């Protein structure tokens, strides 16, 4: 019974965090040290450095 209760509580917690994920993320990133850690961790990912950063700082104007 304790195992079932633990699974239900964990599932509920995950569901609530998923539901309010942007609020949780904004609240966490409002703290300076956590924001610095997250930025430095994301800069260590090669896909972020190689693909996303050039797109963010591209000065060409796109006409579609």
């Amino acid at each position: 019974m304790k195992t079932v209760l633990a699974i239900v509580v964990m599932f509920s917690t995950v569901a609530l965090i998923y539901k309010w994920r942007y609020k949780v993320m904004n609240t966490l990133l409002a703290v300076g040290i956590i924001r610095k850690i997250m930025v430095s961790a994301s800069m260590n990912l090669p896909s972020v450095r190689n693909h996303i950063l050039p797109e963010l700082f591209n000065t060409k104007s796109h006409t579609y």
Side-chain angles (χ1 to χ4, degrees):
M1 187 65 178
K2 288 182 182 182
T3 305
V4 172
L5 182 63
I7 291 172
V8 168
V9 169
M10 289 175 62
F11 179 75
S12 299
T13 304
V14 169
L16 287 174
I17 289 173
Y18 181 76
K19 181 179 178 181
W20 296 324
R21 64 190 177 271
Y22 297 114
K23 288 183 182 182
V24 170
M25 186 175 16
N26 285 336
T27 303
L28 289 175
L29 292 177
V31 179
I33 189 72
I34 296 174
R35 184 175 52 245
K36 288 180 184 180
I37 291 170
M38 293 303 293
V39 169
S40 66
S42 65
M43 288 299 111
N44 287 330
L45 297 172
S47 61
V48 172
R49 273 197 326 254
N50 296 334
H51 299 294
I52 296 174
L53 283 179
E55 290 293 323
L56 290 175
F57 299 112
N58 191 359
T59 56
K60 294 179 185 177
S61 62
H62 296 288
T63 55
Y64 296 104

